[in-house]
Amino acid sequence: MPSHTIRPPAVAGRFYPADADRLEADIRRYLIDADAPEDCEDYPLVKAIVAPHAGYPYSGPVAASAYVHLACTDIPVKRFVLLGPAHFAPVRGMAISSAAAFDTPLGRVPVDDDGRANALSLPGVSIDDDAHAPEHCLEVQLPFLQELFLDFSIIPLLVGETTAEEVAAVLEALWDGPETRIVVSSDLSHYRDQATARQLDGETAAAIVGLRPDALREDSACGRVVIAGLLTVARGHGLTAQAIDLRNSGDTGGPSDRVVGYGAFLFTTPAPAAY
């Protein structure tokens, strides 16, 4: 369903800098400071990542840990499927935007029309621009992608009241080849003391790495259902999961008595021989 509307940034100047030069400088600093692969030659294909979505001063360094690995590829990436939890509006099923593109201070990112039509053909997926308008979880991922990739489109999905199985069905339908990658946007535990958060987030990381959606606690992550759907599909495709970074807001500059957990996870498979 082609559209001429543009979704403007909702959290520029709050979650990340509204000034393009400062935003780019911040992202480059996070990426430089992240532990990147020593050699991208023969590196596994990173099909999907989980990255956090708080304000950049808190979660940006952890998100960068995932993105430096996602960018370790010589395969042209044309499309990103973005999924995250709806924070501000009740959503039944999954909400996709009708916008032609999403704007950030770094420019305009087109929405993939074919991918949107494919998603809308599935049960539980519908257009809901009201849910997307104030939402930060997908928006904060875009500047990282813009810094690292060229000429890509997105399929932006907010996940509400649904099941992991329904999320998995959407991911399966949009899986495609190595030119399509998946970004799941989720924070981990919320508002625990730092010691408790580390314990809970460690349990969540073990469930993710073990591809065990049944082992995720109800309060393990704001995007628990999204992560569980990804784990289901990743297991079916024989992907390997790895925790790259596990910190919380107390580690990155916030107080330690009431923290939010952040994790960076990779889902990899051997790179296709054709590439």
Side-chain angles (χ1 to χ4, degrees):
M1 184 182 67
S3 168
H4 299 292
T5 62
I6 304 299
R7 191 267 189 187
V11 295
R14 293 193 292 130
F15 278 57
Y16 60 85
D19 177 77
D21 291 338
R22 183 182 164 197
L23 174 58
E24 189 169 40
D26 283 357
I27 291 173
R28 287 181 177 177
R29 174 167 50 84
Y30 296 141
L31 294 169
I32 289 170
D33 290 344
D35 289 331
E38 293 185 3
D39 187 359
C40 281
E41 187 174 350
D42 297 325
Y43 196 76
L45 174 79
V46 181
K47 179 64 177 182
I49 64 170
V50 174
H53 55 230
Y56 278 15
Y58 300 104
S59 69
V62 180
S65 299
Y67 280 108
V68 293
H69 288 80
L70 183 65
C72 191
T73 181
D74 59 358
I75 299 173
V77 184
K78 297 298 183 183
R79 186 171 70 165
F80 290 96
V81 183
L82 304 179
L83 302 97
H87 288 87
F88 301 105
V91 170
R92 295 186 64 84
M94 286 158 275
I96 197 163
S97 170
S98 70
F102 278 41
D103 273 355
T104 82
L106 299 185
R108 185 160 292 176
V109 181
V111 173
D112 186 271
D113 284 327
D114 290 340
R116 174 165 45 207
N118 191 359
L120 284 169
S121 71
L122 301 171
V125 181
S126 60
I127 295 288
D128 189 341
D129 291 321
D130 289 339
H132 278 274
E135 183 59 55
H136 64 279
C137 74
L138 305 185
E139 179 182 325
V140 299
Q141 309 300 339
L142 295 178
F144 280 99
L145 294 174
Q146 289 173 295
E147 180 65 26
L148 293 167
F149 297 93
L150 298 173
D151 298 326
F152 64 88
S153 62
I154 58 172
I155 304 172
L157 288 156
L158 294 177
V159 177
E161 185 180 339
T162 188
T163 65
E165 290 73 22
E166 290 178 337
V167 173
V170 170
L171 284 172
E172 191 66 57
L174 300 175
W175 194 258
D176 209 358
E179 70 281 357
T180 296
R181 309 294 175 94
I182 296 162
V183 175
V184 167
S185 179
S186 180
D187 294 339
L188 301 182
S189 63
H190 282 61
Y191 310 130
R192 307 296 187 104
D193 64 84
Q194 195 167 44
T196 301
R198 285 174 177 163
Q199 177 184 341
L200 295 177
D201 294 343
E203 294 172 2
T204 299
I208 293 173
V209 170
L211 301 179
R212 294 169 51 219
D214 57 305
L216 293 171
R217 295 165 46 114
E218 286 289 329
D219 60 351
S220 60
C222 56
R224 179 187 64 83
V225 174
V226 195
I227 294 172
L230 175 60
L231 297 184
T232 301
V233 180
R235 188 169 53 191
H237 282 270
L239 268 58
T240 299
Q242 182 180 1
I244 294 297
D245 201 348
L246 197 63
R247 285 183 269 177
N248 58 65
S249 56
D251 297 317
T252 55
S256 60
D257 60 332
R258 202 164 176 264
V259 306
V260 176
Y262 310 129
F265 301 91
L266 310 180
F267 296 79
T268 63
T269 186
Y275 292 91

